[in-house]
Amino acid sequence: MMLGGTTSEVNPNSSWLNSRGMWLTYSLAILALHLVLLSFPFLSVPWAWTLTNVIHNLCMFVVLHLVKGTPWISGDQGRFRWLTHWEQIDNGEQFTATRKFLTIVPIIL
């Protein structure tokens, strides 16, 4: 339901990471990045894995820990503008499946 041009959900940041197929899409995006890096003939496989890890971690650091607020207009009246995306995931609840997944992926990489 749209009210005043915003979604009916108070914080859209807390739902898209829990949507169906997000973990698969996230994993496929990392694999695609790795395959793109492997396509460069001057990069060896260990260097491609290292660059995959570094690029992934830099992007996730910026997206999850530096950017504050919501990336689109939401109906929160500015309540989340001081929170990073990591703090907004699952409304700040700790040890959820999404947070565990986003913590384990860089460790596996």
Side-chain angles (χ1 to χ4, degrees):
M1 181 163 128
M2 297 290 284
L3 298 172
T6 62
T7 59
S8 62
E9 189 171 340
V10 176
N11 187 4
N13 279 350
S14 64
S15 68
W16 72 273
L17 287 168
N18 294 325
S19 63
R20 181 176 222 175
M22 192 291 293
W23 293 7
L24 178 63
T25 305
Y26 185 78
S27 301
L28 290 176
I30 294 172
L31 179 65
L33 170 65
H34 182 66
L35 291 176
V36 166
L37 291 173
L38 280 175
S39 70
F40 293 111
F42 54 87
L43 288 177
S44 64
V45 174
W47 270 103
W49 275 116
T50 301
L51 285 175
T52 302
N53 188 18
V54 168
I55 291 169
H56 170 266
N57 289 340
L58 284 174
C59 291
M60 288 290 96
F61 178 72
V62 170
V63 169
L64 292 177
H65 299 292
L66 288 182
V67 177
K68 295 188 180 214
T70 55
W72 47 80
I73 298 172
S74 66
D76 65 1
Q77 301 291 318
R79 189 175 77 188
F80 297 110
R81 72 174 175 228
W82 303 112
L83 298 176
T84 62
H85 195 159
W86 182 258
E87 294 167 335
Q88 295 175 38
I89 295 173
D90 296 326
N91 296 320
E93 187 178 335
Q94 298 294 321
F95 305 115
T96 61
T98 302
R99 283 183 183 240
K100 288 177 185 177
F101 174 76
L102 291 174
T103 302
I104 289 173
V105 168
I107 294 170
I108 292 172
L109 276 178

